[in-house]
Amino acid sequence: MIPNLYEELHALTLEGSPIRYPEQAQGAIKAASVPNTPEQFRREMRDATAEMIMPARPINMAFSKDCFWREFQQKFVWHKAWMGTDEQKALVAQWLRNQRETAQRRGNAYPPQPSFRPIVTMPEPWTGKDEKPGRVPMDGK
């Protein structure tokens, strides 16, 4: 049996889900499942509803590398629900189903609570602008 992507997405919104707006997400999932809607409408709805299906993220934090929700983002699940081909939708639905069944087998909550890590930023390069007076640079100039 081929899992239905929209049924699997609906399972993410059930009671106890960590997503921000479960009721609005359910409406967006129903709208995404309507066939033959104009592509421009689908694109606009995908962008407008993307935050509804995700858990709230603290400021300056990102999802941990082993977090379900990070993988959900990286696999473009929400994008494929709106814009994907039938084959892409089937692959994503199978991945969601495997995640759900694995969590149930292990006795874990589904969908899992998100875990976070600080966002890594690159350090600023040293320009010498804040050089202390009287200090001689290594090149002697």
Side-chain angles (χ1 to χ4, degrees), residues 49-125:
T49 60
E51 290 299 314
M52 289 181 189
I53 196 76
M54 298 297 290
R57 203 178 62 191
I59 296 171
N60 294 330
M61 299 293 270
F63 292 113
S64 298
K65 292 185 179 185
D66 61 344
C67 179
F68 166 84
W69 295 103
R70 177 184 169 126
E71 207 167 339
F72 184 90
Q73 280 183 322
Q74 288 178 338
K75 287 186 176 289
F76 295 102
V77 174
W78 195 240
H79 172 79
K80 289 176 183 171
W82 284 96
M83 308 295 290
T85 64
D86 289 338
E87 183 179 317
Q88 289 174 328
K89 290 177 184 180
L91 289 172
V92 171
Q94 186 61 46
W95 176 77
L96 283 170
R97 183 178 184 178
N98 289 343
Q99 294 292 317
R100 180 174 47 84
E101 289 174 349
T102 300
Q104 289 172 343
R105 238 185 351 264
R106 294 178 180 167
N108 297 337
Y110 182 82
Q113 294 295 320
S115 56
F116 302 100
R117 63 176 173 80
I119 293 177
V120 178
T121 58
M122 293 298 291
E124 292 292 321

